[in-house]
Amino acid sequence: MPPISNDWLEPLRPEFAKPYYKQLYLKVYQEYKTYKIFPAADDIFNAFHLTPLANVKVVILGQDPYHNDGQAHGLCFSVKPGVETPPSLVNIYKELNTDLGCYIPNNGYLNKWAEQGVLLLNTVLTVRAHQAFSHRGIGWEEFTDAVIRIVNNVDRPIVFMLWGNPARAKKSMLTNPNHLILEAAHPSPLSAARGFMGCRHFSKCNEFLVRHGVEPIDWQIENI
């Protein structure tokens, strides 16, 4: 795992010294030696590299990385250029189209969001190929909970988008009254019709940011 070297390092440093993280590091290292693991090791912490803590405006929580070849690259819901857009992201794009009039792009590469301050954080950061949730319970959840607490403690206004029950379960950690918490069903085809479609989270997010003097997010992902 490449080290985190930007302004996330200091607040996360205590985690790196804890026994659970040392065990997690050894487990992940052994997994990469033994199995095909996604994302590539150099991409595990891309969410942190692309979105420094000082730049965070929005947090979107995913679950674990995509587990098929060539998809995951360290940002939740995002896939590399040239990879078919996954169904959950298709529904996110449909909601963006209805909410803000964004056209539906020909790719699922969300780096543009990350570079504007959208922390695209999975609660588990690695997965075995073709085995969804295979790295649940090895320590990543403790690490990403620490990340959520760090962002919660930031005093500037931040929007948290909690989609689906695993993400919504983190709401109890979000105690800072400066922040906006938006909840909906997961955008997966299995649940999107039960409250994700029509949630208007993207316009609500931007209205909140503008109201607090923060540059809104340009949510339009362009065609490649």
Side-chain angles (χ1 to χ4, degrees):
M1 292 185 280
I4 294 172
S5 57
N6 61 10
D7 64 353
W8 282 105
L9 179 59
E10 280 309 308
L12 283 172
R13 195 184 296 276
E15 299 304 308
F16 299 140
K18 291 179 180 178
Y20 88 85
Y21 190 85
K22 293 176 181 178
Q23 294 171 7
L24 170 64
Y25 183 93
L26 291 174
K27 173 68 173 177
V28 171
Y29 177 78
Q30 189 60 40
E31 287 281 300
Y32 272 93
K33 285 178 61 177
T34 310
Y35 302 97
K36 189 183 218 178
I37 304 297
F38 299 129
D42 286 347
D43 289 339
I44 292 174
F45 290 134
N46 270 353
F48 304 96
H49 299 321
L50 290 169
T51 313
L53 179 58
N55 294 357
V56 175
K57 299 177 182 179
V58 182
V59 179
I60 297 178
L61 291 176
Q63 296 179 32
D64 67 339
Y66 296 124
H67 55 83
N68 288 328
D69 293 316
Q71 292 181 306
H73 66 108
L75 304 179
C76 74
F77 294 108
S78 182
V79 291
K80 295 177 182 178
V83 176
E84 183 179 358
T85 304
S88 291
L89 184 52
V90 169
N91 283 335
I92 291 170
Y93 285 161
K94 288 178 180 177
E95 176 59 22
L96 270 167
N97 176 256
T98 302
D99 188 14
L100 291 174
C102 296
Y103 69 80
I104 296 177
N106 62 3
N107 68 93
Y109 190 54
L110 304 183
N111 269 37
K112 176 182 174 179
W113 293 359
E115 290 168 351
Q116 293 180 82
V118 181
L119 182 65
L120 295 166
L121 180 68
N122 279 313
T123 54
V124 174
L125 300 187
T126 55
V127 68
R128 285 186 191 174
H130 317 302
Q131 296 182 47
F133 310 125
S134 48
H135 281 181
R136 269 187 180 173
I138 66 171
W140 281 127
E141 294 91 342
E142 191 166 348
F143 178 76
T144 54
D145 278 358
V147 172
I148 294 167
R149 285 192 293 269
I150 289 165
V151 180
N152 177 64
N153 289 333
V154 173
D155 280 338
R156 68 181 183 276
I158 294 171
V159 180
F160 288 82
M161 295 184 182
L162 308 181
W163 299 336
N165 290 334
R168 296 171 88 167
K170 307 297 183 183
K171 183 179 179 180
S172 62
M173 302 170 61
L174 304 177
T175 57
N176 190 328
N178 289 320
H179 304 327
L180 175 64
I181 302 169
L182 299 172
E183 298 180 73
H186 195 274
S188 160
L190 298 174
S191 56
R194 297 200 298 269
F196 178 79
M197 307 309 293
C199 69
R200 298 190 63 245
H201 279 189
F202 304 100
S203 59
K204 290 175 182 177
C205 167
N206 278 357
E207 288 163 6
F208 175 82
L209 294 176
V210 169
R211 194 161 64 244
H212 288 87
V214 179
E215 184 77 18
I217 305 298
D218 177 5
W219 293 104
Q220 180 67 69
I221 298 296
E222 287 82 14
N223 285 335
I224 295 177

